[in-house]
């Protein structure tokens, strides 16, 4: 089970406050289900089942005017700012960071 830091101030950010409950849950789910490098392999059927409502890629990518998530060339979703928030600056000296760097290279 992966453990993540969570931004407790997200609830006070204007862009997050403007979201519907469904969109807030979608943001939290994607950030929780992504890998260590902040990349989520989308499965919209499972995401919709988790949230109890139909959710789409377009809904996710439009959140905060597109400033939170990016669709990669391989179809996966990258959580913008995830690495910086979770780890700060990555270093080859850290075994954990080396794993994340390897994931980044794998994802392209």
């Amino acid at each position: 089970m992966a453990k993540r830091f969570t931004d407790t101030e997200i609830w006070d950010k204007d862009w997050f406050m403007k979201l519907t409950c469904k969109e807030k849950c979608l943001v939290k789910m994607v950030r929780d289900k992504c890998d260590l490098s902040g990349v989520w392999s989308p499965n919209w059927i499972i995401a919709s089942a988790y949230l109890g409502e139909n959710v789409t890629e377009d809904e996710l990518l439009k959140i905060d005017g597109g400033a939170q998530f990016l669709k990669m060339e391989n179809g996966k979703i990258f959580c913008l700012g995830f690495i910086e928030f979770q780890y700060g600056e990555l270093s080859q000296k850290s075994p954990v960071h080396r794993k994340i760097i390897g994931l980044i290279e794998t994802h392209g």
Side-chain angles (χ1 to χ4, degrees):
M1 166 179 50
K3 297 188 190 267
R4 303 274 160 83
F5 290 114
T6 185
D7 182 1
T8 58
E9 294 178 5
I10 195 169
W11 299 96
D12 300 322
K13 294 180 180 177
D14 287 341
W15 70 267
F16 194 78
M17 288 192 297
K18 293 175 185 173
L19 299 179
T20 65
C21 288
K22 177 175 94 169
E23 292 168 330
K24 288 174 183 169
C25 287
L26 182 58
V27 167
K28 298 297 275 177
M29 188 221 58
V30 170
R31 289 186 177 169
D32 285 348
K33 298 299 283 180
C34 68
D35 69 14
L36 293 174
S37 68
V39 174
W40 179 58
S41 298
N43 182 323
W44 299 106
I45 294 170
I46 290 176
S48 295
Y50 284 157
L51 300 181
E53 291 191 53
N54 187 48
V55 291
T56 67
E57 181 179 277
D58 285 341
E59 286 177 291
L60 180 68
L61 296 177
K62 288 180 183 176
I63 288 174
D64 192 22
Q68 298 300 316
F69 301 99
L70 173 73
K71 183 176 180 179
M72 301 168 60
E73 287 183 23
N74 61 10
K76 295 181 180 183
I77 303 293
F78 178 63
C79 303
L80 298 166
F82 181 87
I83 292 172
E84 293 84 1
F85 181 81
Q86 293 296 320
Y87 314 109
E89 188 175 330
L90 296 179
S91 168
Q92 285 286 356
K93 295 178 182 177
S94 166
V96 172
H97 288 188
R98 282 196 300 269
K99 182 173 183 174
I100 295 160
I101 293 166
L103 282 170
I104 293 168
E105 291 169 353
T106 298
H107 292 304

